[in-house]
Amino acid sequence: MSVEARRDVFQAIADPTRRQIINLIAYQSMNLNAIADNFSISRPAVSQHIKVLIECGMVSVRQEGRERFCEAKLDTLKEVAGWVDQYRQFWNTQFDSLDHYLNRIQNNTQSDQ
Amino acid sequence: MSVEARRDVFQAIADPTRRQIINLIAYQSMNLNAIADNFSISRPAVSQHIKVLIECGMVSVRQEGRERFCEAKLDTLKEVAGWVDQYRQFWNTQFDSLDHYLNRIQNNTQSDQ
DNA sequence: ATATTGTGTAAGCAAATACTTACATATATG
DNA sequence: CATATATGTAAGTATTTGCTTACACAATAT
């Protein structure tokens, strides 16, 4: 981690450890030590990763006594989603199949549900 | 670009130049010089970026005479989309409202449809 | 055959990354 | 107050990254 980070979401999620951190705190805030317990790297290393995530807006911190709870700000991923979504037409996946599923249900509601 | 690249899609799209290259060739193959004309960096620099994109499966090359046409393999972005999609519920987009709509339909099927 | 065009790749370099250990500081707790 | 706990941050380091220039080489054109 450099002193002058890029503060870019794409760059932030490029690191597998940072993606794991996001996965970890996606559904519940955790303090730094709790997060660090899930990794083999040192506590300061995790702290530095979180700093990057904060700088790009993917994590916010709520201080509570001496603990600092990290909360994932997942809507920041909109930027990534927006870029990727331009190209969804090039493959078949959940996004597409959900859409199809929905249409199927709508078409079938009268008859079999 | 190192000799031993990570060959990881997340890492590949972390670089803004590489994202621009993908945007450029998304809808039509282009040879390397044509791609490089769109950037201020040197031709070899572009060549190295494309090497990274090839290594992670985002670009394939078709040789034609002395030219090498680069084609974007956009379905490789499925990996990124898959990761991001887990969190779509955390912001408001089509996907979210679709999902809620789906649940609403499922919950109501017995009673009112 | 010679020159031109399209491209890969090596060598070198500055900056960024991902770590580590050591140390600083603030908030509990006995 | 003296410790223990939770965390930030600085300094040092090995790698990786992104870029440049120089050079190699195959396919064309003249």
Side-chain angles (χ1 to χ4, degrees), chain B residues 12 20 42 54 78-79 84 93 101 107-108 113:
Chain B
Q20 284 178 52
S42 71
I54 291 169
K78 270 193 290 193
E79 193 183 340
V84 169
T93 69
Y101 184 48
N107 294 337
N108 291 347
Q113 294 263 339

Side-chain angles (χ1 to χ4, degrees), chain A residues 29-112:
Chain A
S29 298
M30 290 176 74
N31 68 32
L32 192 111
N33 278 343
I35 295 170
D37 283 346
N38 291 274
F39 298 93
S40 57
I41 58 174
S42 71
R43 199 256 319 150
V46 172
S47 182
Q48 284 157 358
H49 279 304
I50 287 171
K51 193 178 179 184
V52 172
L53 291 171
I54 291 169
E55 284 169 348
C56 78
M58 281 236 50
V59 164
S60 71
V61 174
R62 172 174 42 87
Q63 184 103 26
E64 213 163 285
R66 62 189 161 190
E67 293 176 75
R68 312 189 75 203
F69 286 90
C70 300
E71 180 190 358
K73 310 297 284 182
L74 297 162
D75 60 297
T76 306
L77 289 174
K78 269 192 290 192
E79 191 182 340
V80 178
W83 187 75
V84 169
D85 283 352
Q86 315 174 66
Y87 305 120
R88 276 195 186 267
Q89 57 186 301
F90 291 99
W91 71 85
N92 292 319
T93 185
Q94 198 196 353
F95 193 82
D96 193 31
S97 50
L98 234 185
D99 196 35
H100 286 162
Y101 182 49
L102 180 65
N103 289 331
R104 188 152 43 77
I105 284 189
Q106 287 185 307
N107 294 335
N108 291 347
T109 7
Q110 267 75 34
S111 53
D112 68 9

Side-chain angles (χ1 to χ4, degrees), chain B residues 76-94:
Chain B
T76 306
L77 289 174
K78 270 193 290 193
E79 193 183 340
V80 178
W83 188 75
V84 169
D85 283 353
Q86 315 174 67
Y87 305 120
R88 276 195 186 265
Q89 59 187 296
F90 291 100
W91 68 85
N92 291 323
T93 69
Q94 196 198 355

